[in-house]
Structures are given as structure tokens and as C-alpha cells.
Amino acid sequence: MDEMTAVTVGAQAIKVALLVGLPMLLASMVVGILVSVFQVATSIQDVTITFIPKILAVFAALVFSLHWMMRILLEFTQQIFASISSLNP
């Protein structure tokens, strides 16, 4: 395996990791912003209020995007296994 192949596979792996993690990160960020706005509007300054809504939002994002995430991961894994046979020792 030459350096260019290793860099390409690494870049693809980072891209897949970002794609797979994006739905949960976006859900957490949106809920965090909404809860922060609510806290500012009501003058409630408790740090622990954000945990439960964020956990529920991340879980919901995971449930709704799990099929898509598994498809992305399976395609990447199949691509990696197919490219292994073309590598020269």
C-alpha cells in the first residue's frame, strides 16, 4: 500500500465518521440552543436542565437515522474489502 492509498482511505474514513455522527450532533446542538434560549427567557440558570432533552433528542435522531447510517457504514466497509484484493503486497 502506497502513501496515496493510505491517505485516500483515511480521508474516506473521516468523511464517513462525520456523516454518521452528524445527525446526533445536529440534534444535540439544536436542542441545546433551544434550551439555552428558554433558560435565558425564564431566568432559570440550572446547568442540569439540558441533559434530559439532549439525551432524548440524540436518541430520537439515532432511531430515525439508524437505517441510513448503517447503509453508509456497510457501503464503506464493502468498498474497503473490495479494495483489499487490488492491493499489492
Side-chain angles (χ1 to χ4, degrees):
M1 178 187 302
D2 61 339
E3 293 84 18
M4 194 61 187
T5 305
V7 169
T8 303
V9 170
Q12 288 175 345
I14 291 171
K15 180 183 172 187
V16 168
L18 288 174
L19 278 174
V20 168
L22 192 64
M24 281 84 59
L25 291 173
L26 283 177
S28 178
M29 183 182 71
V30 168
V31 169
I33 290 172
L34 290 175
V35 169
S36 295
V37 168
F38 175 75
Q39 284 180 325
V40 167
T42 60
S43 297
I44 299 173
Q45 299 301 323
D46 190 12
V47 180
T48 60
I49 290 176
T50 62
F51 290 132
I52 298 299
K54 278 186 181 181
I55 289 171
L56 293 176
V58 168
F59 181 72
L62 180 65
V63 167
F64 289 121
S65 63
L66 187 61
H67 179 71
W68 173 78
M69 291 181 341
M70 289 303 296
R71 186 174 47 86
I72 296 290
L73 287 171
L74 285 173
E75 287 174 2
F76 178 69
T77 305
Q78 289 171 347
Q79 178 186 0
I80 292 296
F81 281 136
S83 67
I84 287 174
S85 62
S86 67
L87 295 176
N88 295 329

